[in-house]
Amino acid sequence: MDVLYFAWLRERIGLPKERVQTSAATVADLVEELKAREERYAVAFADLAAVRVALDQELAEFDAPLAGVREVAFFPPMTGG
């Protein structure tokens, strides 16, 4: 699946996008796999309260299943006006 990083997540991880092979069942499982890879991922995902996620361009929660998902995007909370 493709994993996209936006804003400060992209800056901390150093990539805008990557292809990931995973056996993770949920978004939270994927985050744990990523954090275990390298320190830069652990730093980026240290505070999940400051991170939002979208699965195939639909907002989702961290307990959402990944079965059939092609794209996961991580980004900071957005404000609108």
Side-chain angles (χ1 to χ4, degrees):
M1 74 180 55
D2 289 328
V3 179
L4 287 66
Y5 308 103
F6 292 93
W8 54 263
L9 287 151
R10 176 184 346 189
E11 292 170 11
R12 291 179 186 169
I13 292 170
L15 297 169
K17 176 181 178 179
E18 65 181 318
R19 190 95 152 129
V20 174
Q21 296 291 330
T22 182
S23 59
T26 66
V27 175
D29 295 338
L30 175 61
V31 168
E32 289 306 312
E33 282 184 12
L34 293 171
K35 286 169 62 174
R37 280 179 157 187
E38 293 179 38
E39 181 66 19
R40 62 186 171 142
Y41 293 95
V43 169
F45 291 111
D47 180 11
L48 290 184
V51 178
R52 298 294 177 264
V53 63
L55 303 179
D56 293 331
Q57 300 184 8
E58 299 276 336
L59 288 176
E61 298 296 326
F62 283 88
D63 61 354
L66 290 176
V69 171
R70 292 175 306 212
E71 179 186 272
V72 179
F74 294 105
F75 50 92
M78 298 173 283
T79 58

